[in-house]
Amino acid sequence: MLQSGERILVLGGGNMGCALIGGWLDAGLAPEALLVVDPNRGEALGKLIERYGFRHETETPADFAPTVALLAVKPQMMGDALPPLKAALSPETLIVSIAAGTTVAALSKHLSEADGHERPIVRAMPNTPSLIGRGITGAYPNGQVSEERRAVADTLLAASGPVEWVDSEALIDSVTSVSGSGPAYVFHLAECMAKAGEAMGLPADLAMRLARHTVAGAGELMIRSDETPAKLRQNVTSPNGTTQAGLEVLMDDFTGLPPLVERTVRAARDRAVALSKD
């Protein structure tokens, strides 16, 4: 998975951090090459420690020299969490951040060396399906990240699903609005389908099972198929059939899903931009 000699410090042992940690260890990362720093030992972290026996500290120790530091704490905690970490880093330590709304400039402000030299930083945005190894991550490297270190970041982030690299940090906000926030849109679609089914007379529990499995199954079909989503939609739609009747409502240019989804994604993107400036 990684070259021997890589030493990974994970700042934050929450669900997303643990999802990545579990993927690394399952892929063969040596437990002694890993240190997790978190004031708390949550259930997910505790289970991983019991299974693999890697090191956990409540504060950043001075005796662990990481080649990679994964920042997996909440954005509002960065101001307190990063200064103690800085002393443990070498100039070559690769910083990988999965904190939403925290820019490379903000990270550099806390972590740059005394002479102002920037560290290699990758800003990444995974999504919640990463918790089951079915996520997708958008990533952006600053100018100090070499091709070799970018490959290391790619390997680490790919533990939870595919990694897509963007050329502009601003595009991370767009990634956030599509795939980062996207699972919530899909979950709400399932909610709406279930409520509509219930309104049509289905028992509530049956309507929800139908909606959940339909959304999950359709998503899996898109992943496994070589066809575009548009073609898959056409395959389901018989002329003058029930699906066409529903799609005529859903695909209306003014009142249907296309303009609604565009407004939804744009609102999420604009909020991501605002958070990055806070």
Side-chain angles (χ1 to χ4, degrees), residues 35-68:
L35 166 68
V36 178
V37 177
D38 195 306
N40 303 305
R41 179 170 165 167
E43 182 179 357
L45 180 58
K47 288 181 178 179
L48 284 174
I49 293 172
E50 290 174 7
R51 180 177 177 186
Y52 293 102
F54 57 85
R55 184 177 174 188
H56 167 237
E57 300 287 350
T58 58
E59 297 180 349
T60 303
D63 64 343
F64 189 90
T67 59
V68 180

Side-chain angles (χ1 to χ4, degrees), residues 46-134:
K47 288 181 178 179
L48 284 174
I49 293 172
E50 290 174 7
R51 180 177 177 186
Y52 293 102
F54 57 85
R55 184 177 174 188
H56 167 237
E57 300 287 350
T58 58
E59 297 180 349
T60 303
D63 64 343
F64 189 90
T67 59
V68 180
L70 177 79
L71 310 183
V73 297
K74 295 183 183 303
Q76 60 267 31
M77 298 171 61
M78 285 290 188
D80 294 328
L82 294 186
L85 173 67
K86 183 176 179 180
L89 305 178
S90 75
E92 292 76 30
T93 303
L94 172 65
I95 309 298
V96 181
S97 172
I98 60 172
T102 305
T103 64
V104 167
L107 295 171
S108 294
K109 178 181 177 181
H110 290 290
L111 296 175
S112 289
E113 299 175 78
D115 62 2
H117 178 71
E118 278 192 72
R119 300 183 188 276
I121 297 174
V122 170
R123 181 181 171 192
M125 174 49 59
N127 61 5
T128 54
S130 298
L131 299 174
I132 59 168
R134 295 304 305 269

Side-chain angles (χ1 to χ4, degrees), residues 13-30:
N15 287 334
M16 197 64 73
C18 284
L20 288 167
I21 291 167
W24 303 338
L25 293 165
D26 285 343
L29 179 69

